[in-house]
Amino acid sequence: MAKLLIVEDDESVRTLATRALERAGHVIDIAADGAQGLALIRAASGGYDLVLSDIRMPEMDGIEMAKASAALFPAMKIMLMTGYADQRERAEELNGIIRDVVQKPFTLAEIRARVEQALACFA
């Protein structure tokens, strides 16, 4: 069981990911955008086993949040998700900060498997 933060502005995607990962036994916190996600990361003193964030969001996007999180907590484990090819290319500049980029849409089984892979790499 891991403590995860899901940062996603689309409520349906956020709910889908939350349900899938809670059923896998994880404890989930949620945020609707990067600014809210960064505030939760700060409040938890970086105490998440993995942060799963959308790239494209209002206010603060996932890439900006990942950079700010890594500056505060260099050991922070972050995985991004996107439905846009151009956003996936932007994430390439974050080598060493992020673990993976998950393509949306994804299935429940796929998101669980990708999260388990990311957690296993850090175990």
Side-chain angles (χ1 to χ4, degrees):
M1 180 169 75
K3 183 175 180 182
L4 310 177
L5 173 62
I6 297 173
V7 185
E8 169 63 63
D9 62 316
D10 183 320
E11 186 177 354
S12 62
V13 175
R14 194 170 58 236
T15 300
L16 175 79
T18 299
R19 283 188 187 150
L21 296 169
E22 281 177 339
R23 287 183 182 151
H26 301 298
V27 174
I28 310 294
D29 286 341
I30 58 171
D33 62 46
Q36 192 178 58
L38 185 58
L40 287 172
I41 290 166
R42 282 185 174 135
S45 299
Y48 290 101
D49 296 303
L50 182 68
V51 175
L52 177 61
S53 177
D54 189 17
I55 293 178
R56 210 169 148 177
M57 295 179 289
E59 181 136 1
M60 175 187 277
D61 71 15
I63 290 176
E64 194 177 339
M65 186 198 72
K67 287 178 179 176
S69 298
L72 292 167
F73 306 102
M76 176 69 58
K77 300 162 188 98
I78 302 169
M79 190 162 71
L80 297 176
M81 49 190 175
T82 188
Y84 301 92
D86 63 325
Q87 298 301 311
R88 188 178 184 96
E89 290 173 13
R90 281 184 60 217
E92 290 176 6
E93 70 188 61
L94 298 177
N95 286 341
I97 295 175
I98 62 164
R99 166 69 185 105
D100 196 5
V101 179
V102 178
Q103 190 67 38
K104 293 193 291 186
F106 47 76
T107 64
L108 295 176
E110 182 182 6
I111 195 63
R112 276 193 296 258
R114 298 290 283 273
V115 165
E116 294 308 322
Q117 286 173 347
L119 291 169
C121 286
F122 299 117

